[in-house]
Amino acid sequence: MIGTVIEKELKEYRRDGRIMGIGFLILLLIIISLATGWSVNSEQQIQAAFAQQADQEVFLEQGEKNPHSAAHFGRMAYKSAPPLSVFDPGALPYLGQIIWLEGHVQDPAMFRPAEDSLDLRRLADLSVAGVLTFLLPLLIFLVGYGSFAAERERGTLRQIMSFGSGVSLPYIGKLSAISFVGISTAVVAIVVSLFLAISMPDNTPVSDILTRGIGLILGYGLYVVIFAAIALFVSSRSKNATSAMLLLLSIWALSVVVIPRLAANIAENMYPSPDGSAFWQNYSDEMAASRLDPESAEYKEVERIVLSMAFDRELTLEEIPTLEYNQRGVRLEVSEYMAAQAFGKLYTDLYNTYENQKNVRRALSFLSPTILLQHFSSTISGTDVTAHRHFANAAEIQRQIIIKELNEDLIRNDVGGSGPYVSGEELWETIPDFSYTPPSISLSLTGASWDFLLLLIWAVIAISVSWNVAKKQKIM
């Protein structure tokens, strides 16, 4: 019997020109999003690989110079776009893709596409995830607004319930039919995105991409069920189909458009992100506060550690005066050591701010499941702030390796010469290239677990409430 109800509902949906119209619009937007996402992603993948290779050649061919000048010449760390950014670019357009690895400074990522884009280019930032997140609820509401209200107006609800099943048969059948429309739309979009992601020139294992795809299907499936249950709740409570439609449109505007934006503003006000000038002022303050007296025991201990690493053996404080080394090189490496401590604290504070903002938005998600899906989708796609932090940490490790290698060359070899000390390609070739492996699916699953659990709770509560309301609705 449930199958009969589902078949009847789906047949009515196909006959409704409004549903077919918005379904066609969603399909068209998904196709455009996939085309632009695949094009942008492929271009970024190719450019990142080419730029990394070009950076290596430029560094090797920089000629002879002092190693400290080479440290300021620097290298670049390029982040290729994750394969599933074709589905959900997440925070990628706002966090940058290239980090300059130079002496003294842990730079933030540069070249944020959102900053470089002209207004018209923003149209190309349309994503499959954005289309599904914003328009799936609208499609579901259009499909489900008359489920009970229209049946009552036509007098057919009494006939359905006269089969002796009460409201359970039509409720389960209608919930299944509405959810089928939304979930099948999401599944088609996600599966096509997976094929495109797998075809990208990237070394991400296929199993990793497929696992992420399964996660996305589960998350978007829960999202659809939540709004299907809300549609049935409103349709059960409304006097007629028109009032049900108007109320559902209001709920869509609030839960999908207004509340997520409001939650982001509240989170930013509670935990404001520092602007560039404030960040660098904090760095100056941190360095001034942590600067060591060159005559202090703590400074001498840092100096001993630096020299031990430069000479590749454990030194004692008593041995140091007997060594020949370049003191400027030691001072530079000690400065790098202290700067790394200061930058580590500042960037930890910055990412904690982002995490606190996310927690505030998550706390407000009891008003809108859209907030949870936005977190979940970008995390599973590997395009959230946590994934960017993984890249930034890898780039900082590479920066420290480069600068340490150059400073240690100064420490060991710029001793007693008659002229300016220079190094050449022989030293530059010892600097390893930046090789980055993006985080595995396990990091994404851990990061998305709370959002998935809350989506599940949302679905259970929405179904329970709508079921109880549907049972008590007046048939006439």
Side-chain angles (χ1 to χ4, degrees):
M1 286 298 293
I2 290 178
T4 304
V5 175
I6 294 174
E7 186 178 353
K8 165 191 164 294
E9 294 293 325
L10 293 177
K11 190 177 294 182
E12 290 183 359
Y13 301 159
R14 284 197 297 271
R15 291 173 178 168
D16 191 326
R18 295 166 299 178
I19 295 174
M20 297 305 293
I22 192 169
F24 176 76
L25 174 64
I26 292 174
L27 180 63
L28 182 64
L29 290 174
I30 287 174
I31 292 173
I32 294 172
S33 304
L34 284 170
T36 55
W38 183 80
S39 173
V40 171
N41 190 307
S42 299
E43 184 182 340
Q44 289 177 349
Q45 297 273 10
I46 295 170
Q47 285 182 348
F50 175 78
Q52 196 74 65
Q53 179 65 30
D55 176 71
Q56 178 191 7
E57 293 173 2
V58 169
F59 186 77
L60 291 177
E61 295 170 1
Q62 62 181 306
E64 291 188 342
K65 61 176 61 170
N66 186 274
H68 189 61
S69 298
H72 283 288
F73 186 78
R75 297 287 304 267
M76 295 287 183
Y78 294 87
K79 178 177 67 174
S80 59
L84 274 173
S85 63
V86 70
F87 174 79
D88 188 348
L92 284 184
Y94 308 96
L95 294 175
Q97 300 168 282
I98 304 170
I99 296 180
W100 184 19
L101 311 177
E102 61 170 330
H104 308 304
V105 180
Q106 182 182 349
D107 288 300
M110 305 181 290
F111 300 110
R112 302 172 177 88
E115 289 181 350
D116 298 336
S117 299
L118 299 174
D119 288 344
L120 289 177
R121 167 64 194 275
R122 298 293 179 90
L123 296 175
D125 293 338
L126 187 71
S127 70
V128 181
V131 172
L132 295 179
T133 303
F134 283 90
L135 294 185
L136 266 186
L138 193 59
L139 174 65
I140 292 165
F141 285 169
L142 188 59
V143 168
Y145 78 96
S147 294
F148 287 116
E151 296 270 13
R152 279 199 307 273
E153 289 182 276
R154 293 195 299 263
T156 51
L157 184 58
R158 175 184 288 276
Q159 294 176 7
I160 297 173
M161 294 177 68
S162 65
F163 292 132
S165 62
V167 77
S168 61
L169 180 63
Y171 179 86
I172 296 173
K174 290 174 185 297
L175 181 66
S176 301
I178 298 169
S179 299
F180 174 79
V181 172
I183 291 175
S184 58
T185 304
V187 167
V188 169
I190 292 169
V191 168
V192 175
S193 300
L194 291 178
F195 276 113
L196 293 178
I198 291 171
S199 71
M200 295 290 174
D202 188 271
N203 295 325
T204 305
V206 173
S207 59
D208 184 286
I209 296 174
L210 293 178
T211 306
R212 292 177 189 274
I214 293 171
L216 290 172
I217 290 173
L218 292 175
Y220 280 85
L222 286 176
Y223 188 63
V224 167
V225 170
I226 291 168
F227 281 99
I230 292 173
L232 292 181
F233 167 81
V234 172
S235 189
S236 302
R237 294 282 297 174
S238 300
K239 291 180 180 178
N240 53 55
T242 303
S243 59
M245 172 62 107
L246 292 175
L247 183 54
L248 285 171
L249 286 176
S250 302
I251 292 174
W252 174 80
L254 282 172
S255 63
V256 176
V257 180
V258 177
I259 293 175
R261 183 63 190 169
L262 193 62
N265 289 339
I266 292 172
E268 177 65 29
N269 285 328
M270 289 180 67
Y271 296 98
S273 305
D275 58 26
S277 59
F279 181 86
W280 292 113
Q281 183 59 50
N282 290 339
Y283 166 69
S284 298
D285 296 342
E286 188 68 31
M287 281 297 291
S290 60
R291 183 168 289 117
L292 299 176
D293 180 355
E295 300 302 322
S296 67
E298 193 175 359
Y299 184 93
K300 297 292 184 188
E301 176 59 17
V302 175
E303 197 176 53
R304 186 194 67 79
I305 294 171
V306 166
L307 283 167
S308 294
M309 290 189 289
F311 287 95
D312 200 22
R313 64 186 178 88
E314 195 65 25
L315 297 173
T316 63
L317 289 173
E318 291 72 22
E319 279 183 276
I320 290 176
T322 67
L323 297 173
E324 281 195 344
Y325 61 89
N326 183 281
Q327 291 188 346
R328 176 170 174 262
V330 174
R331 286 197 301 273
L332 288 172
E333 187 57 19
V334 170
S335 172
E336 286 292 337
Y337 178 86
M338 290 189 291
Q341 305 295 317
F343 276 117
K345 181 178 183 306
L346 287 175
Y347 277 102
T348 298
D349 291 343
L350 179 64
Y351 286 114
N352 285 342
T353 299
Y354 293 150
E355 190 63 27
N356 288 332
Q357 291 176 356
K358 185 176 183 179
N359 288 335
V360 171
R361 293 195 300 271
R362 186 179 285 147
L364 295 170
S365 66
F366 71 94
L367 297 171
S368 167
T370 301
I371 299 170
L372 296 172
L373 186 72
Q374 289 172 332
H375 289 176
F376 179 83
S377 181
S378 62
T379 303
I380 291 296
S381 299
T383 56
D384 62 337
V385 173
T386 301
H388 177 78
R389 184 177 187 177
H390 187 274
F391 163 73
N393 288 343
E396 172 57 14
I397 291 172
Q398 175 72 1
R399 188 190 74 84
Q400 292 179 11
I401 290 172
I402 294 172
I403 304 306
K404 177 173 174 291
E405 195 74 25
L406 296 174
N407 285 338
E408 288 184 350
D409 181 75
L410 265 182
I411 293 170
R412 290 190 303 265
N413 301 319
D414 186 9
V415 180
S418 56
Y421 176 73
V422 294
S423 293
E425 189 170 347
E426 189 175 337
L427 174 61
W428 316 146
E429 286 179 342
T430 64
I431 305 296
D433 292 329
F434 179 61
S435 178
Y436 175 62
T437 302
S440 66
I441 180 64
S442 59
L443 180 67
S444 297
L445 291 176
T446 302
S449 57
W450 269 111
D451 298 306
F452 183 80
L453 178 63
L454 292 173
L455 277 172
L456 186 61
I457 292 173
W458 246 103
V460 170
I461 292 175
I463 291 174
S464 300
V465 172
S466 65
W467 163 247
N468 282 307
V469 170
K471 281 195 303 184
K472 297 173 184 174
Q473 67 180 307
K474 294 178 181 178
I475 298 177
M476 297 298 296

